[in-house]
């Protein structure tokens, strides 16, 4: 038997604007906002109205296409200059997820051979749509590959939201759960709430509930006890940037889960599309880690939960060293063992 999935889409191109699911309002409200200017797009990324590596890339691509529609010049050189300036502006929104830079680069490269401004404007829209369509296909394949690693009734832990709303559709780390639901293969998911901004409780718990997946929410500090007492079989996470040696940046707390997986002798999987790999950097040492507003730690829903003037460290991501990763699941197959070689082969092909 198969069940039909019906998940909301995080971003849609509407010719004069971009429609965006406001992820800051979830799970209380499912509300869509209209992004009409490049500044709207930049703000939406910075304030996490849209978040998750592939969704950030996709939204920025649409943002660049949107900005370009508004250029009033007859000179292709001036058009290219404006595009470069807007590309740099969007690239300044968040530093860690490489999908952002990958998508923007791909957009600019798409118009290398155009012969008119009109053609450039249309090409940019088509390229952004292609990025979105391809991401959905890629996520489906990641889900398929990841599901092959689980068996019926497995209990699997995850962190943050590497789900459908963080991508074009299906998600990366959450894709196998959505597909398991479609294919009637029971799995139990344990979602870490993911402090400080609660992508696990606000987004993953909600998204998996929407598709009828058996999901249980825990706070982050319950992970070790839960792995032990609920006999968790595996941990699966998404990624924001994977270096040439397989070191992986993902939501803060991921590294801790990888260490727990090692201590409990359970597999630790990373699921990601090729757009999340950064073969230009040798190791995780070179991944820039975003540090966000201390208020994310000192306040919860506007309510102060820490003393005035307290020092805060608020890194949004951490880096899991490759030796703690059992496998990296991509749309092109599952990498294991020597990641350096595996990633190089992936990119040479
Ligand atoms: O700060 P966020 O919410 O953008 O962080 C998101 C994550 O860390 C995800 O796990 C990652 O981007 C993969 S999304 C498919």
């Amino acid at each position: 038997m198969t069940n039909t999935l019906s998940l909301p889409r995080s971003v849609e191109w509407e010719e004069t604007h971009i429609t965006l699911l406001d992820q800051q309002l979830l799970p209380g409200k499912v509300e869509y906002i209209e992004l009409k200017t490049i500044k709207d797009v930049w703000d939406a990324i910075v304030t996490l109205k849209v978040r998750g590596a592939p969704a950030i890339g996709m939204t920025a691509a649409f943002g660049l296409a949107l900005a370009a529609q508004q250029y009033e010049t007859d000179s292709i050189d001036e058009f290219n200059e404006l595009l470069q300036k807007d590309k740099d502006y969007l690239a300044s929104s968040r530093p860690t997820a490489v999908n952002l830079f990958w998508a923007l680069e791909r957009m600019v490269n798409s118009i290398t051979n155009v012969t008119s401004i009109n053609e450039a404007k249309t090409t940019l829209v088509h390229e952004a749509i292609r990025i979105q369509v391809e991401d959905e296909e890629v996520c489906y394949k990641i889900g398929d590959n990841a599901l092959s690693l689980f068996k019926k009734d497995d209990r699997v832990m995850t962190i943050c939201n590497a789900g459908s709303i963080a991508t074009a559709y299906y998600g990366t780390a959450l894709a196998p759960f959505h597909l398991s639901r479609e294919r009637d293969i029971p799995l139990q998911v344990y979602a870490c709430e993911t402090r400080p901004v609660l992508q696990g409780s606000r987004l993953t718990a909600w998204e998996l509930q929407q598709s009828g997946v058996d999901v249980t929410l825990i706070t982050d500090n319950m992970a070790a006890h839960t792995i032990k007492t609920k006999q968790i079989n595996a941990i699966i996470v998404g990624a924001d940037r994977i270096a040439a040696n397989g070191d992986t940046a993902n939501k803060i707390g991921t590294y801790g889960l990888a260490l727990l997986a090692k201590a409990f002798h359970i597999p630790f999987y990373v699921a990601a599309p090729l757009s999340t790999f950064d073969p230009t950097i040798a190791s995780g040492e070179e991944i820039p880690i975003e540090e966000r507003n201390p208020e994310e730690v000192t306040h919860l829903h506007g309510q102060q939960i820490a003393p005035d003037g307290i020092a805060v460290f608020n890194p949004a991501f951490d880096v899991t060293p490759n030796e703690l990763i059992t496998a990296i699941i991509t749309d092109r197959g599952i990498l294991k063992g020597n990641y350096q070689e595996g990633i190089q082969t992936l990119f040479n092909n």
Side-chain angles (χ1 to χ4, degrees):
M1 203 182 97
T2 57
N3 299 303
T4 315
L5 259 193
S6 163
L7 294 163
R9 298 211 174 246
S10 56
V11 47
E12 304 255 31
W13 173 253
E14 312 270 9
E15 302 300 333
T16 55
H17 61 271
I18 298 161
T19 300
L20 191 82
L21 172 66
D22 186 344
Q23 297 192 31
Q24 280 291 24
L25 301 178
L26 289 171
K29 277 191 201 152
V30 180
E31 202 167 290
Y32 292 85
I33 51 173
E34 290 185 1
L35 309 180
K36 294 185 175 142
T37 65
I38 189 166
K39 167 95 172 48
D40 292 345
V41 174
W42 187 87
D43 281 341
I45 296 173
V46 170
T47 57
L48 310 184
K49 289 186 170 71
V50 59
R51 30 67 49 204
I56 293 171
M58 236 164 51
T59 308
F62 282 126
L64 198 58
L66 183 72
Q69 305 312 301
Q70 292 154 12
Y71 299 162
E72 288 173 0
T73 175
D74 297 329
S75 148
I76 194 85
D77 287 342
E78 196 188 340
F79 185 94
N80 284 330
E81 273 167 34
L82 291 168
L83 195 70
Q84 191 58 47
K85 190 169 69 58
D86 283 341
K87 176 193 165 206
D88 292 345
Y89 174 59
L90 288 169
S92 72
S93 56
R94 294 191 75 189
T96 304
V98 77
N99 308 59
L100 172 66
F101 313 103
W102 169 87
L104 290 170
E105 200 61 41
R106 188 170 149 170
M107 290 293 285
V108 170
N109 290 341
S110 75
I111 59 158
T112 315
N113 296 320
V114 300
T115 52
S116 72
I117 302 241
N118 273 346
E119 191 189 346
K121 289 185 177 179
T122 316
T123 303
L124 287 167
V125 173
H126 288 169
E127 191 66 11
I129 293 172
R130 238 192 313 272
I131 288 173
Q132 185 176 37
V133 170
E134 285 174 16
D135 190 59
E136 178 169 341
E137 289 166 4
V138 158
C139 286
Y140 185 86
K141 288 183 189 153
I142 290 173
D144 220 18
N145 289 337
L147 194 53
S148 74
L149 297 169
F150 302 138
K151 52 185 193 320
K152 184 174 160 295
D153 295 323
D154 266 359
R155 290 169 294 280
V156 187
M157 186 172 281
T158 190
I159 188 167
C160 195
N161 173 271
S164 193
I165 56 173
T167 62
Y169 207 67
Y170 296 109
T172 56
L174 298 193
F177 307 131
H178 291 308
L179 295 189
S180 77
R181 190 61 202 128
E182 267 190 341
R183 298 172 193 178
D184 251 344
I185 303 166
L187 295 174
Q188 284 176 42
V189 181
Y190 284 81
C192 297
E193 68 171 349
T194 321
R195 273 286 283 154
V197 296
L198 303 171
Q199 290 94 332
S201 61
R202 291 189 302 105
L203 308 177
T204 292
W206 173 82
E207 182 181 314
L208 293 180
Q209 226 180 27
Q210 294 296 303
S211 63
V213 173
D214 181 347
V215 56
T216 301
L217 178 65
I218 59 166
T219 65
D220 302 326
N221 50 352
M222 295 172 188
H225 179 76
T226 304
I227 293 170
K228 185 176 166 197
T229 56
K230 298 291 179 186
Q231 285 123 35
I232 297 295
N233 301 97
I235 298 176
I236 187 166
V237 300
D240 287 86
R241 196 186 291 225
I242 302 174
N245 68 348
D247 290 352
T248 295
N250 190 50
K251 180 52 55 196
I252 191 75
T254 301
Y255 181 21
L257 289 185
L259 289 165
L260 286 179
K262 184 176 179 187
F264 283 100
H265 307 290
I266 59 171
F268 180 84
Y269 300 125
V270 170
L274 256 59
S275 52
T276 301
F277 287 76
D278 184 353
T280 68
I281 57 169
S283 79
E285 292 288 314
E286 292 174 64
I287 301 177
I289 300 294
E290 178 181 12
E291 284 188 34
R292 294 186 58 87
N293 192 331
E295 276 207 7
E296 289 182 349
V297 176
T298 57
H299 289 65
L300 208 51
H301 294 302
Q303 177 87 31
Q304 190 169 333
I305 54 165
D308 281 337
I310 190 74
V312 170
F313 177 47
N314 184 20
F317 302 96
D318 57 28
V319 176
T320 300
N322 58 12
E323 66 268 17
L324 294 178
I325 300 170
T326 311
I328 303 179
I329 306 157
T330 76
D331 53 305
R332 309 273 178 94
I334 300 172
L335 304 179
K336 278 184 180 174
N338 186 333
Y339 292 120
Q340 187 84 44
E341 265 176 34
I343 293 169
Q344 206 171 350
T345 310
L346 211 56
F347 279 84
N348 288 344
N349 292 338

